[in-house]
Amino acid sequence: MPQASLDSIVQAYERGGVKALGSIVDGVPPSDEWLEMLVTGAAEGRASVPSTWLLRAYLERGAELSRKETARLLRSLGRLKDDDARLHVCQLVGLLDVPARNAEQLARFLREGVTGAHKFTRAWATDAFQRLAQQH
């Protein structure tokens, strides 16, 4: 899947779930362009869950988002509606270098997660708050 698009990622996820996303991580190196596409997909409806899952997986394997892309991801948090996508973002906070100017945006997002109905997001939002506090 070297020339994958957001549509192809969504289709792979809808056909094969997380296993299909794992195959993407194994087969597609995390270039800057690829990570930028995933940041774009994070706030785009059906693409939000697979995009945030892939971002988390790549960052866990050592890829890094630029400060510009991190800021762009954090600015888009208000558009994330899916509980699983919101959970993935909470899980990757410790892997981000959060720009000071975006810290409050992230804190607002995490406050919603701490008080929300999704129990895993509540737990991970609490963890993410601690990680944000360590940075700022």
Side-chain angles (χ1 to χ4, degrees):
M1 190 179 290
Q3 293 298 322
S5 66
L6 286 176
D7 286 337
S8 64
I9 291 168
V10 169
Q11 290 169 7
Y13 176 64
E14 289 175 347
R15 280 192 316 270
V18 172
K19 185 175 181 180
L21 297 179
S23 295
I24 292 171
V25 172
D26 290 340
V28 180
S31 67
D32 290 343
E33 294 80 19
W34 181 251
L35 294 173
E36 288 171 15
M37 183 183 70
L38 295 177
V39 168
T40 298
E44 290 192 8
R46 289 178 43 223
S48 67
V49 173
S51 293
T52 55
W53 191 97
L54 288 166
L55 277 172
R56 189 192 76 212
Y58 281 117
L59 296 180
E60 286 173 345
R61 289 185 175 197
E64 295 180 8
L65 283 181
S66 68
R67 289 182 63 81
K68 176 184 172 186
E69 288 305 309
T70 298
R72 193 164 70 94
L73 175 66
L74 297 176
R75 285 191 308 270
S76 73
L77 293 178
R79 296 191 312 261
L80 252 83
K81 303 302 178 203
D82 188 281
D83 286 336
D84 288 336
R86 294 173 68 82
L87 171 64
H88 299 154
V89 170
C90 290
Q91 292 171 326
L92 63 79
V93 167
L95 303 168
L96 298 174
D97 181 13
V98 178
R101 69 181 181 279
N102 301 103
E104 183 53 39
Q105 288 171 308
L106 179 55
R108 279 193 302 274
F109 174 82
L110 296 174
R111 276 187 213 101
E112 292 173 13
V114 167
T115 60
H118 193 269
K119 65 183 174 183
F120 293 116
T121 301
R122 285 195 310 266
W124 278 99
T126 301
D127 176 78
F129 254 128
Q130 184 263 337
R131 294 174 186 277
L132 178 62
Q134 286 178 330
Q135 287 188 43
H136 298 283

